[in-house]
């Protein structure tokens, strides 16, 4: 696939990437909440967030800033992506956190912390998209992870230190598993995600919509995360079915309607590059014959 307009900056990934097609899917919102649940299980990482941000009172703002960063680095120009990365690196260099048990002071741009946040985020995106029915084969999944060595560089990681395929990502999670725990900060994040503060008029919507989405994101976590949080999840087959139903419903909303929501990254990218740059699941399907060796399927 090629954009119809020549001379436009395709950005960090470009319309021919798996990332470009996948990040336009509405299930990315569920995946983002899953990532927050997972990231909060690393005590040093979540402590850095809680000690350096107004998460309790501005959690919505933080969520939207994260979504804005992902949208800019995926669909913005190369210059915009590099600027966004530079801002993140500058903020991380200025901040630190203190371990209340030992008194140790540590920097938020420690490579180990940056790597955890990156892997929990990208791994969650990939897991939810595939499990909800977005057509990513094994080869697509590996290509997606390799592409995100670029986004890892933007936040200060050496690309060579970042998992580049599913096997490397699984090995990373197995290696870091003993460091994870559901401490006080993680439980505070959990409490917020289950019952975020909203205007009184929005309380019914929170009960009807948000709780279902947050519960679905939680249920899609790995088994060890359920054990740490201390809340069981339905059987995996039930979770997968709910993810697929939710994905089907959300994808039925016309893309042109979904993309009108601020900050409209995709619409601006299409204006820059032309209509052939529109992300869509069927474009992923067209690449399968090229990317996949014979017999390789899309099972997770």
């Amino acid at each position: 696939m090629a954009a119809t307009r020549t001379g436009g900056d395709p950005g960090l990934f470009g319309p021919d990437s798996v990332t470009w097609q996948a990040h336009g899917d509405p299930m990315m919102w569920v995946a983002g909440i899953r990532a927050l649940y997972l990231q909060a299980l690393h005590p040093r990482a979540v402590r850095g967030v809680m000690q350096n941000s107004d998460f309790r009172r501005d959690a919505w703002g933080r969520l939207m800033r994260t979504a804005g960063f992902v949208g800019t680095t995926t669909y913005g120009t190369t210059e915009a992506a590099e600027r966004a990365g530079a801002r993140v690196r500058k903020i991380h260099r200025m901040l630190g956190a203190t371990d209340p048990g030992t008194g140790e002071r540590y920097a938020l741009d420690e490579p180990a912390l940056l790597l955890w946040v990156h892997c929990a985020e990208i791994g969650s995106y990939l897991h939810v998209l595939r499990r909800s029915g977005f057509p990513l084969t094994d080869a697509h999944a590996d290509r997606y992870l390799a592409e995100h060595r670029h986004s890892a560089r933007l936040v200060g990681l050496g690309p060579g230190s970042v998992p580049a395929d599913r096997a490397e990502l699984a090995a990373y999670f197995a290696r870091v598993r003993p460091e994870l725990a559901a401490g006080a900060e993680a439980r505070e994040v959990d409490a917020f995600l289950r019952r975020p503060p909203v205007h009184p008029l929005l309380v019914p919507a929170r009960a009807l919509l948000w709780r279902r989405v947050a519960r679905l994101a939680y249920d899609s976590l790995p088994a060890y995360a359920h054990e740490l949080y201390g809340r069981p999840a339905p059987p995996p087959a039930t979770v997968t079915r709910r993810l697929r139903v939710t994905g089907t419903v959300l994808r039925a909303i016309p893309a042109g309607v979904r993309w009108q929501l601020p900050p409209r990254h995709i619409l601006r990218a299409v204006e820059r590059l032309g209509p052939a740059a529109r992300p869509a699941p069927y474009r992923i399907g067209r690449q399968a014959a090229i990317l996949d060796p014979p017999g390789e399927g899309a099972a997770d």
Side-chain angles (χ1 to χ4, degrees):
M1 182 187 68
T4 58
R5 293 176 189 156
T6 59
D9 182 356
L12 196 66
F13 298 102
D16 290 329
S17 68
V18 175
T19 296
W20 187 280
Q21 309 305 327
H23 283 188
D25 192 78
M27 288 298 287
M28 284 285 289
W29 289 101
V30 176
I33 298 170
R34 182 191 193 267
L36 292 177
Y37 271 119
L38 193 55
Q39 289 166 346
L41 290 175
H42 195 298
R44 288 168 69 88
V46 71
R47 188 179 300 128
V49 172
M50 303 305 278
Q51 291 184 11
N52 288 280
S53 71
D54 197 14
F55 180 86
R56 299 163 185 84
R57 288 182 291 180
D58 188 34
W60 292 116
R62 181 176 177 82
L63 290 173
M64 292 308 297
R65 286 190 292 274
T66 299
F69 179 80
V70 174
T72 297
T73 55
T74 302
Y75 299 110
T77 63
T78 303
E79 180 183 1
E82 295 290 348
R83 282 200 310 266
R87 285 194 298 270
V88 169
R89 295 193 302 274
K90 180 179 179 181
I91 292 171
H92 286 167
R93 281 196 303 269
M94 293 165 32
L95 300 177
T98 301
D99 186 323
T102 65
E104 175 198 2
R105 184 74 179 172
Y106 57 92
L108 294 195
D109 62 353
E110 283 186 355
L113 299 184
L114 296 177
L115 184 59
W116 167 253
V117 171
H118 171 84
C119 290
E121 179 180 315
I122 298 304
S124 290
Y125 294 163
L126 185 59
H127 180 88
V128 169
L129 288 173
R130 298 192 79 189
R131 200 170 173 187
S132 66
F134 193 87
L136 292 174
T137 66
D138 291 343
H140 287 124
D142 286 343
R143 180 175 167 184
Y144 176 82
L145 292 171
E147 288 172 358
H148 278 278
R149 287 184 160 188
H150 293 297
S151 60
R153 175 187 60 79
L154 288 182
V155 299
L157 286 164
S161 69
V162 178
D165 57 32
R166 289 167 297 123
E168 291 183 9
L169 185 63
Y172 167 78
F173 281 126
R175 187 169 66 250
V176 78
R177 168 68 182 87
E179 302 174 30
L180 306 182
E185 293 92 347
R187 297 195 179 281
E188 192 165 348
V189 172
D190 179 27
F192 167 81
L193 291 175
R194 285 197 287 167
R195 192 180 177 85
V198 296
H199 188 280
L201 294 177
L202 296 178
V203 168
R206 180 181 65 185
L208 180 64
L209 299 175
W210 175 264
R211 288 185 185 176
R212 294 184 181 184
V213 172
R215 182 56 191 261
L216 183 58
Y218 174 84
D219 289 347
S220 70
L221 288 167
Y224 67 77
H226 299 145
E227 294 173 5
L228 291 174
Y229 277 116
R231 297 201 315 279
T238 300
V239 178
T240 299
R241 184 168 59 251
R242 288 171 52 206
L243 284 166
R244 286 184 173 269
V245 169
T246 303
T248 299
V249 171
L250 291 180
R251 290 166 191 141
I253 302 172
V257 174
R258 291 189 273 108
W259 296 344
Q260 290 293 338
L261 296 174
R264 306 175 83 237
H265 291 296
I266 294 176
L267 288 180
R268 289 203 297 271
V270 172
E271 290 172 0
R272 185 174 79 247
L273 298 173
R278 292 169 57 93
Y282 71 85
R283 298 186 191 279
I284 287 283
R286 288 178 177 175
Q287 298 173 2
I290 299 174
L291 290 173
D292 287 336
E296 188 164 307
D300 212 355

